[in-house]
Amino acid sequence: MAPKTVQTAPEIAAGDPKHAARATRSAGRQMRSRLLDGASRLFKERGLVGTSISDIAAAADAFPSQITYYFRTKEALFVEAACREMLYLARATEQAALRAHTPREYTHALAETVTATDSVAFFAEALTLTRRRQDLAPLVERTIERLHSEGARAYASQVERHGWRSLRAPEESSRRFWAVAIGVMIEGHAMGRSAEDLCCEMLRVLGDQATTPPSVDSTRLRVVDDSDKPDRETSS
Amino acid sequence: MAPKTVQTAPEIAAGDPKHAARATRSAGRQMRSRLLDGASRLFKERGLVGTSISDIAAAADAFPSQITYYFRTKEALFVEAACREMLYLARATEQAALRAHTPREYTHALAETVTATDSVAFFAEALTLTRRRQDLAPLVERTIERLHSEGARAYASQVERHGWRSLRAPEESSRRFWAVAIGVMIEGHAMGRSAEDLCCEMLRVLGDQATTPPSVDSTRLRVVDDSDKPDRETSS
């Protein structure tokens, strides 16, 4: 069965082929998005095994065949929904950290936002699944690349704005942040930890990302300050 | 049906009740261990969903009822097998790092050993499962505590032995190491990365753990050197 929206939309704007194509695309995007919303909610609540295609169809007010039309398999929908949630979380994290005035407040805002949701656990489940389903790897790879590059960009811009001294390259800071988030949260969720405990553990494991300069009127804005990394040069 | 070994052992040493009990316990331990070996191999290869109780019984030359007798469910066996593998890995990691002469060699030996096996991915799958099966959480909790405390002890003893300066408390170093290992490896496995790539990424994300002292003849052995952590005191 063809998806409902794809079937009916051309009839609505049948007079103009361009309109029709645009309406179809737009209706298709809306249906995709609705299916992803419903799937995310159910998958986060019940996991992959505990959620069926017909549950998701019912939650999104759609037909099961529309899920297979847009996503092919439940596993592909799971991974796409988890990747989308993870990028939403990254954006929310970046927004929350804009209010920080010190490096410590900044890291705290990131950790607090990340540990307040189920998105990292959802994404970690998608990563575990993708290990055995390498056909789904390209989307995961693009998502991780975006996480790292957008994290690095957001962090570098805050470091520059406030004149902080970063303890390592922004790209490394971002990679460490997300790897630690995944590691700490799947450990903590398995042990039934609260969001507050997860946040404390994240801060403890992460360590500091940056420092404030010794003199506030320092005019040199340094994104990476090598003087804080004796270990890079002197350890052998 | 009662497990085969528990059934037959008392008959063998029927003359002495103490012997019989000891033989039963020993045979039970052997059967448990054989089931865990077979299960670990299959679970690592095919995952939880791809492995059945009868597959494991066949691999361990046992009856399916022996699995339910010793472990109750496939999920409980999965988590126990994964926890055991993780503690074996921790021991192998510690052994490999004994040969290191510098902090960098030490961290490299840890990362190389961890990324050479599937054990972290197996454990991460067990963590994801335990999130929805909180009855299995106590074993996971004990395993994580042992990982952290044994890692901290092993690291502190090497720091002291070589006179290195640790950049943070051994307990924090150990927690960071395992959280990063889990995060980096489930990301990397999802993207189909090689063991070599995983090792590079782990080293990049971890950063340095310790430095060598500026003068070799330093007689003070410091497990934690606060002078290397200006960020702790000066960032606000």
Side-chain angles (χ1 to χ4, degrees):
Chain A
M1 199 179 86
K4 202 176 163 189
T5 47
V6 174
Q7 249 181 346
T8 59
E11 290 159 26
I12 295 164
D16 178 344
K18 271 189 194 168
H19 259 153
R22 216 176 293 135
T24 306
R25 272 202 306 276
S26 158
R29 268 200 300 270
Q30 277 173 29
M31 175 50 76
R32 260 191 136 263
S33 169
R34 220 164 77 202
L35 289 169
L36 285 165
D37 289 343
S40 291
R41 196 162 44 76
L42 291 176
F43 282 141
K44 282 199 279 186
E45 211 178 291
R46 310 179 194 170
L48 178 70
V49 178
T51 309
S52 70
I53 286 194
S54 47
D55 292 340
I56 299 164
D61 196 20
F63 296 115
S65 58
Q66 290 178 291
I67 295 175
T68 49
Y69 177 85
Y70 285 109
F71 302 98
R72 291 202 314 121
T73 63
K74 185 173 83 166
E75 286 73 19
L77 172 56
F78 188 93
V79 170
E80 184 163 343
C83 287
R84 194 182 69 146
E85 284 287 304
M86 197 65 178
L87 294 174
Y88 286 167
L89 174 65
R91 206 184 305 153
T93 302
E94 192 178 318
Q95 286 297 315
L98 283 180
R99 292 188 290 273
H101 296 100
T102 64
R104 193 152 288 174
E105 277 175 25
Y106 179 84
T107 310
H108 197 279
L110 296 181
E112 202 171 51
T113 311
V114 159
T115 52
T117 75
D118 281 345
S119 304
V120 172
F122 185 18
F123 187 61
E125 202 173 338
L127 292 176
T128 303
L129 169 66
T130 306
R131 188 178 160 228
R132 296 187 196 285
R133 284 290 305 264
Q134 283 291 300
D135 55 312
L136 305 173
L139 177 59
V140 164
E141 182 139 12
R142 282 199 302 278
T143 304
I144 292 176
E145 267 166 22
R146 253 182 87 180
L147 270 185
H148 291 169
S149 64
E150 294 191 3
R153 177 197 42 72
Y155 174 64
S157 82
Q158 290 306 297
V159 165
E160 195 170 320
R161 176 180 156 211
H162 294 287
W164 299 334
R165 298 184 306 166
S166 182
L167 298 173
R168 61 200 71 87
E171 168 76 6
E172 280 170 27
S173 234
S174 176
R175 280 169 180 263
R176 179 185 292 178
F177 180 81
W178 289 113
V180 164
I182 292 169
V184 164
M185 289 185 73
I186 73 163
E187 274 184 4
H189 277 295
M191 297 189 289
R193 295 281 184 272
S194 67
E196 205 181 342
D197 284 349
L198 290 171
C199 183
C200 286
E201 180 68 6
M202 256 201 86
L203 292 172
R204 184 176 179 189
V205 169
L206 272 175
D208 290 305
Q209 295 189 277
T211 65
T212 46
S215 85
V216 183
D217 59 2
S218 161
T219 49
R220 283 194 303 152
L221 302 181
R222 288 173 297 184
V223 172
V224 177
D225 183 349
D226 285 324
S227 67
D228 269 310
K229 301 198 297 178
D231 41 322
R232 273 296 137 100
E233 264 54 63
T234 61
S235 74
S236 52
Chain B
M1 200 179 83
K4 199 179 167 189
T5 47
V6 174
Q7 249 181 344
T8 57
E11 289 162 27
I12 295 162
D16 177 348
K18 271 188 193 167
H19 260 153
R22 216 176 293 136
T24 306
R25 274 202 305 277
S26 158
R29 269 199 300 271
Q30 278 173 28
M31 175 50 76
R32 258 188 138 266
S33 169
R34 219 164 76 200
L35 288 169
L36 284 165
D37 290 342
S40 291
R41 195 162 45 76
L42 291 176
F43 283 142
K44 282 199 280 186
E45 209 178 293
R46 311 180 194 168
L48 178 70
V49 178
T51 310
S52 70
I53 286 195
S54 48
D55 292 340
I56 299 164
D61 194 21
F63 296 116
S65 59
Q66 289 177 291
I67 294 174
T68 49
Y69 176 85
Y70 286 108
F71 302 98
R72 291 203 315 119
T73 62
K74 185 173 83 167
E75 286 73 18
L77 172 56
F78 188 93
V79 171
E80 185 164 340
C83 287
R84 194 182 69 146
E85 284 287 305
M86 197 67 177
L87 294 174
Y88 285 167
L89 174 65
R91 206 184 306 154
T93 302
E94 192 178 316
Q95 287 297 316
L98 283 179
R99 291 188 290 272
H101 296 100
T102 65
R104 195 151 288 176
E105 277 176 22
Y106 180 83
T107 310
H108 196 278
L110 297 182
E112 201 172 50
T113 311
V114 159
T115 51
T117 75
D118 281 345
S119 305
V120 172
F122 185 19
F123 188 61
E125 202 174 338
L127 292 175
T128 304
L129 168 68
T130 306
R131 187 176 160 229
R132 298 189 196 283
R133 283 291 305 267
Q134 283 291 298
D135 56 311
L136 305 174
L139 178 59
V140 164
E141 183 141 14
R142 282 199 304 279
T143 303
I144 292 175
E145 267 165 23
R146 254 182 85 181
L147 270 186
H148 292 168
S149 64
E150 295 193 0
R153 176 196 45 71
Y155 174 63
S157 82
Q158 290 307 298
V159 165
E160 196 172 319
R161 176 179 156 213
H162 294 286
W164 299 334
R165 299 183 307 167
S166 182
L167 298 171
R168 61 199 72 87
E171 169 77 7
E172 280 169 29
S173 234
S174 175
R175 281 169 180 263
R176 178 184 293 177
F177 180 80
W178 288 112
V180 164
I182 292 169
V184 164
M185 287 185 74
I186 74 165
E187 275 184 4
H189 276 296
M191 298 189 288
R193 294 281 184 271
S194 67
E196 204 180 343
D197 284 348
L198 291 170
C199 183
C200 285
E201 180 69 5
M202 258 200 85
L203 292 172
R204 183 176 181 189
V205 169
L206 273 174
D208 288 305
Q209 296 188 277
T211 64
T212 45
S215 83
V216 183
D217 60 2
S218 161
T219 49
R220 284 192 303 150
L221 303 180
R222 290 173 295 185
V223 171
V224 178
D225 183 352
D226 286 322
S227 68
D228 269 311
K229 300 200 296 177
D231 41 317
R232 273 295 136 99
E233 264 56 61
T234 60
S235 72
S236 50

